[in-house]
Amino acid sequence: MEVGQMQRQWLDYTKSLFLEGFLDGQFLQLQQLQDESNPDFVVEVVSLFFEDSEKLLNDLTSALGQQSVDFKRVDAHVHQLKGSSSSIGAQRVKNACIALRNYCEEQNIEGCIGCLQQVKHEYNMVKNKLENLFRLEQQIVAAGGSIPMTELGF
Amino acid sequence: MENGFSSPRSDAFPAGLRVLVVDDDPTWLRILEKMLKKCSYEVTTCGLATDALRLLRERKDVFDIVISDVNMPDMDGFKLLEHVGLEMDLPVIMMSVDGETSRVMKGVQHGACDYLLKPIRMKELKNIWQHVFRKKIHEIKDIENHESIIEGMHLTRNGSDYSDDGHLLSVDDLTSVRKRKDMEKNHDEKDFSDASSAKKARVVWSVDLHQKFVKAVNQIGFDKVGPKKILDLMNVPWLTRENVASHLQKYRLYLSRLQKEKENSGMKHSDASPKDPPGSFGSIHQSDVVNSSYLFSGNSLLPRTVDPSSHEDDLKSIISEPVMEPKRPPVNLPDSHKTKNSQMGFNRSFQPLESEVDFAAFNSGIPTKSYWGEVPDVQFGQEHTPFVHLENGFTKLPLPDPLNHVNADSLQSIPCTAERGISGPTKSKPPCPEYGSNQISDPSPKVSILDPFPQSSKSNIVNHQRALEPIYPCTSSLTTQASCLSCTADIESAQRDVLNLASGSSSTLASFEDDLQVLFQGDSYGDTLGVRNLGFSDYIDAGLINEVPIHLYDSLRFGYEYPCDMTEYAILDQAY
């Protein structure tokens, strides 16, 4: 695949992520922060997000699996995940977190558990999409091209 | 990638601003670091609040500003904010993904200078230098104030015969006042480098120092503390009274917040009740009017004060000033921290006061309220409330006022009282606590005057009347205050102000001057007189003076306990 074609593909894919609501403007901010001194800034930050989110999802799973659920603890974890997902603009994860928090406030264990599945699902989706995006970027760079970031005008 | 986030020149402020970022979220920590670096700020990141606090304590003066997340597992962000504000006196920005009003309000109450919502954008971070700059400005102002006060104190301290030096002193004072005024005008254009002097003066309250401070406070007893006493006990040679006063204020705010959190809103109404003198600002106000009227009639200064319109502009500036600098150190007042506390309260509650309606609302606007309610020595704090304003008001007002006559006749009936007051200066010594016990005895004579004020004020005034019945106004207030406080260091300022007043006004004062000397000897609160006069003039503006001289007359006898707060209300009347 030639570079120009890959670049177009990258553009289309990125746009679709925004259009389908997986990502919001915050991701754009991250892309704008990336510069010569940190050429891998977005990948770096998103990796941090993956790492942190997986830990939080595990914490949430175990907190909701307790005999008597400590909703305060659950809420604290969800809050963190919400903040974390907002950092990279993982919009759908963030929205799922908000729903989970509401169930948590109601102390609705069933609702919480169901919603946690939703959060995990959204998380896996966005993770998958972002990994695809980064793979595409690597291919572009490997082929001697550059990421057409400036063409991402919305 | 040029994206509009171009960095400022590296050699100029705010480039190089030293920022400490505290967040338990590693992703955000990384993003914020990158963003701040792009703003040409120097960034240090910290994943734990406890680490941040340790860092701040170990490396004093290494940061200009702190940005902290609200929710952190090891320590509540608000707690960190509290510590940073108290110990390091640094501006703190809170951030959270939660924008609930109550959360934001909590942050602001705890002293956050800003509250950013995640996702935080770079343009918001780019702008944070303003908080550092604002702080510098306030520090400059503070220092200016100290200087002018200290100047004044030097001048007065050496002379034992104040009446002789009076005119000279007032001139000096006026020049320094003018200087400060110019200063304030120029703040906008002020070069940041001018802040270097402020930098020098800033005290970093290390843990050790703070603990010394707390120890001193505990030793003195919480209800009796004053910066001077604390300073003596702490025995730290380089520390100044102002440093202590400023810290004490913060400390009190801190404690009052703790208190408030404990009690929630339970206290609000009881504070306004008649048996609680501190809560009833209305009475303070009222009595102050009385004070001033007395004073003036006795001095034949009447005309000067009567025309309110001539003061209007000045008054406006007076009022704006305290609002802008709630942190201004109280300078030569023994209980300055209280002053500041209450000042904050006033600033916030101006609106309800002005409408003269709702005392409960008023109370709720005062952060220190619940604390006051707890402390036996409430009145103490009350008495000092006026001073900051006094300072402001005094300096802002042109002393010799050309316009004067208006309501003079309605006041003319008063002089006799005044004279009586003067002739018997040593008589009464009602100790402050007594006021509280004499409640609601005979409100009838003051009703007309009190009407515009909330209930509690009436009863308070009444108290005063009771307590002071056989007493002449001027003396009673002074002796009371003197008995409450031992603050010799501040005497001079009082006298200076009195003298200012004297010299600034018509020379008819001369006959009164000796008496004033006697009266104010040993009493720092004399300086409230300057503002009392102002307050009075405003009050007259409210049309009360026209009502019945007798009321005035009656009320002249009491109400000395709360000398100056009146001015604040009066000023309010003018400004709004």
Side-chain angles (χ1 to χ4, degrees):
Chain A
M1 216 175 352
E2 57 154 323
V3 173
Q5 201 186 339
M6 285 193 292
Q7 284 175 331
R8 262 195 308 283
Q9 202 184 340
W10 181 87
L11 267 177
D12 289 343
Y13 193 71
T14 310
K15 281 181 184 173
S16 75
L17 291 182
F18 286 106
L19 291 176
E20 289 161 32
F22 287 106
L23 298 175
D24 64 20
Q26 178 62 21
F27 190 75
L28 221 54
Q29 285 267 315
L30 296 190
Q31 288 178 320
Q32 286 169 340
L33 283 171
Q34 182 163 292
D35 56 20
E36 308 76 49
S37 66
N38 287 100
D40 296 321
F41 182 71
V42 177
V43 174
E44 184 193 335
V45 168
V46 170
S47 306
L48 281 172
F49 167 72
F50 290 157
E51 216 175 286
D52 195 41
S53 300
E54 266 148 47
K55 183 179 89 41
L56 288 170
L57 285 171
N58 284 336
D59 289 347
L60 270 174
T61 310
S62 83
L64 281 171
Q66 299 294 312
Q67 282 291 332
S68 65
V69 176
D70 180 352
F71 284 100
K72 239 181 149 178
R73 217 182 113 212
V74 174
D75 184 75
H77 291 320
V78 182
H79 179 83
Q80 269 184 287
L81 189 56
K82 185 185 160 195
S84 193
S85 53
S86 82
S87 71
I88 65 148
Q91 198 173 216
R92 284 163 68 153
V93 177
K94 191 173 111 179
N95 291 341
C97 284
I98 293 170
L100 174 51
R101 252 193 132 181
N102 290 337
Y103 282 120
C104 189
E105 241 163 65
E106 294 170 14
Q107 312 226 328
N108 179 344
I109 297 182
E110 295 304 307
C112 281
I113 290 172
C115 218
L116 178 59
Q117 293 313 309
Q118 184 64 24
V119 173
K120 283 182 177 170
H121 174 69
E122 291 296 349
Y123 168 74
N124 286 325
M125 292 266 277
V126 79
K127 187 180 180 198
N128 194 5
K129 302 264 179 192
L130 284 169
E131 279 169 350
N132 286 342
L133 187 72
F134 294 152
R135 208 170 298 123
L136 203 50
E137 284 181 11
Q138 280 172 349
Q139 285 168 6
I140 293 170
V141 173
S146 65
I147 312 299
M149 212 76 88
T150 47
E151 287 171 49
L152 263 184
F154 281 89
Chain B
M1 216 185 319
E2 196 46 61
N3 46 32
F5 292 142
S6 63
S7 308
R9 288 191 347 266
S10 60
D11 58 333
F13 181 84
L17 198 78
R18 298 161 306 173
V19 188
L20 177 66
V21 188
V22 193
D23 198 333
D24 62 312
D25 183 332
T27 321
W28 265 117
L29 210 52
R30 181 71 187 95
I31 295 171
L32 292 170
E33 182 190 15
K34 180 70 188 170
M35 284 179 165
L36 289 162
K37 276 184 176 161
K38 262 199 144 61
C39 296
S40 302
Y41 298 155
E42 257 177 53
V43 194
T44 309
T45 56
C46 221
L48 286 173
T50 41
D51 283 354
L53 201 54
R54 189 161 33 82
L55 203 62
L56 283 161
R57 282 171 174 161
E58 275 168 12
R59 300 161 64 198
K60 298 159 197 158
D61 249 346
V62 167
F63 301 105
D64 296 309
I65 190 165
V66 179
I67 303 179
S68 168
D69 191 48
V70 171
N71 299 83
M72 287 178 290
D74 63 326
M75 181 195 259
D76 187 295
F78 295 121
K79 190 153 277 173
L80 177 67
L81 169 64
E82 201 89 75
H83 277 292
V84 174
L86 206 56
E87 293 173 30
M88 295 86 183
D89 196 24
L90 286 175
V92 180
I93 296 172
M94 300 303 285
M95 57 185 174
S96 171
V97 73
D98 249 341
E100 281 168 54
T101 310
S102 62
R103 301 288 282 174
V104 178
M105 208 173 274
K106 194 175 175 193
V108 174
Q109 271 170 351
H110 280 68
C113 64
D114 207 347
Y115 196 106
L116 300 177
L117 292 183
K118 286 175 175 174
I120 293 167
R121 296 297 160 99
M122 188 147 137
K123 61 181 176 195
E124 297 173 289
L125 291 178
K126 193 160 191 159
N127 219 7
I128 60 168
W129 61 267
Q130 64 179 301
H131 303 295
V132 179
F133 187 64
R134 191 171 294 121
K135 207 166 179 69
K136 297 284 180 210
I137 288 176
H138 285 292
E139 279 163 12
I140 294 167
K141 277 190 191 173
D142 290 350
I143 282 173
E144 269 290 304
N145 292 338
H146 293 165
E147 277 169 0
S148 69
I149 295 299
I150 286 160
E151 254 169 53
M153 284 179 72
H154 276 307
L155 286 167
T156 45
R157 195 165 272 166
N158 299 331
S160 54
D161 188 354
Y162 296 102
S163 61
D164 282 351
D165 295 334
H167 292 266
L168 182 75
L169 288 174
S170 68
V171 168
D172 279 320
D173 200 62
L174 278 176
T175 50
S176 66
V177 164
R178 214 167 289 131
K179 215 167 64 188
R180 192 188 317 165
K181 233 173 159 178
D182 292 346
M183 178 81 182
E184 274 152 14
K185 252 184 247 151
N186 292 337
H187 269 315
D188 288 342
E189 308 98 66
K190 207 139 193 63
D191 194 335
F192 198 72
S193 62
D194 281 6
S196 56
S197 61
K199 185 93 185 161
K200 247 190 298 175
R202 197 172 91 190
V203 174
V204 176
W205 285 83
S206 65
V207 188
D208 282 356
L209 199 60
H210 181 60
Q211 261 151 19
K212 259 186 181 177
F213 168 86
V214 173
K215 214 174 133 195
V217 170
N218 292 338
Q219 201 174 326
I220 295 165
F222 207 81
D223 44 340
K224 296 191 201 86
V225 291
K228 181 79 170 70
K229 285 188 199 166
I230 296 172
L231 185 61
D232 290 346
L233 266 177
M234 284 177 74
N235 196 23
V236 178
W238 47 270
L239 210 58
T240 69
R241 207 178 156 289
E242 284 71 30
N243 297 148
V244 176
S246 160
H247 193 64
L248 183 55
Q249 187 220 6
K250 287 205 188 93
Y251 188 60
R252 280 186 187 265
L253 278 173
Y254 168 70
L255 291 178
S256 74
R257 269 197 300 268
L258 290 186
Q259 189 73 43
K260 215 174 175 183
E261 274 166 29
K262 263 189 235 152
E263 301 185 6
N264 272 332
S265 55
M267 294 292 298
K268 284 171 186 171
H269 280 270
S270 64
D271 269 341
S273 79
K275 56 183 154 174
D276 214 344
S280 12
F281 288 87
S283 67
I284 294 160
H285 197 185
Q286 186 57 40
S287 53
D288 192 55
V289 171
V290 171
N291 265 351
S292 24
S293 68
Y294 162 77
L295 243 184
F296 275 116
S297 57
N299 283 313
S300 352
L301 287 175
L302 251 189
R304 185 169 89 79
T305 50
V306 180
D307 184 358
S309 63
S310 66
H311 286 288
E312 203 169 86
D313 287 349
D314 303 292
L315 287 170
K316 275 181 184 145
S317 62
I318 291 165
I319 192 138
S320 67
E321 211 181 307
V323 175
M324 282 162 42
E325 341 168 49
K327 285 209 166 181
R328 172 195 289 229
V331 202
N332 54 352
L333 316 171
D335 262 61
S336 35
H337 49 278
K338 287 180 178 172
T339 308
K340 287 197 275 178
N341 282 355
S342 43
Q343 189 192 0
M344 280 187 68
F346 278 116
N347 289 340
R348 285 209 202 166
S349 45
F350 274 153
Q351 213 46 61
L353 269 183
E354 220 279 310
S355 58
E356 292 173 28
V357 186
D358 184 354
F359 237 72
F362 176 48
N363 280 330
S364 63
I366 298 172
T368 52
K369 208 69 271 193
S370 56
Y371 167 67
W372 280 348
E374 286 295 290
V375 177
D377 192 33
V378 213
Q379 284 183 332
F380 207 6
Q382 275 314 35
E383 284 171 10
H384 300 279
T385 315
F387 287 110
V388 167
H389 290 272
L390 204 221
E391 229 254 333
N392 293 332
F394 192 75
T395 56
K396 282 281 187 178
L397 271 157
L399 279 177
D401 184 355
L403 306 178
N404 33 27
H405 17 89
V406 190
N407 282 321
D409 17 16
S410 61
L411 279 175
Q412 232 112 54
S413 60
I414 298 159
C416 56
T417 351
E419 260 140 32
R420 274 207 281 153
I422 295 159
S423 63
T426 47
K427 275 188 182 170
S428 68
K429 288 208 178 191
C432 337
E434 278 184 15
Y435 286 92
S437 57
N438 301 319
Q439 276 145 17
I440 318 171
S441 59
D442 180 17
S444 55
K446 296 113 242 156
V447 169
S448 67
I449 289 183
L450 290 168
D451 270 344
F453 294 95
Q455 253 195 335
S456 49
S457 67
K458 285 183 197 168
S459 49
N460 253 305
I461 298 250
V462 174
N463 292 347
H464 291 261
Q465 194 197 14
R466 256 289 186 81
L468 298 175
E469 196 80 63
I471 292 151
Y472 298 105
C474 218
T475 3
S476 64
S477 84
L478 293 172
T479 46
T480 307
Q481 284 160 345
S483 67
C484 288
L485 302 157
S486 55
C487 43
T488 47
D490 300 309
I491 296 166
E492 292 89 346
S493 69
Q495 276 150 347
R496 172 169 48 92
D497 285 340
V498 170
L499 291 169
N500 267 336
L501 180 67
S503 61
S505 57
S506 66
S507 54
T508 47
L509 182 65
S511 64
F512 192 54
E513 208 169 289
D514 287 347
D515 289 318
L516 279 179
Q517 295 316 316
V518 176
L519 287 173
F520 293 115
Q521 208 86 44
D523 189 327
S524 67
Y525 302 100
D527 58 0
T528 57
L529 285 173
V531 172
R532 274 183 211 161
N533 299 334
L534 304 176
F536 182 49
S537 67
D538 306 323
Y539 200 71
I540 288 169
D541 185 32
L544 288 167
I545 201 85
N546 288 327
E547 291 211 23
V548 194
I550 280 175
H551 290 157
L552 212 45
Y553 177 93
D554 280 329
S555 45
L556 281 175
R557 299 162 162 236
F558 37 79
Y560 275 80
E561 190 57 18
Y562 309 122
C564 238
D565 289 33
M566 177 54 196
T567 42
E568 304 193 42
Y569 292 74
I571 286 164
L572 273 177
D573 288 344
Q574 290 282 336
Y576 285 89

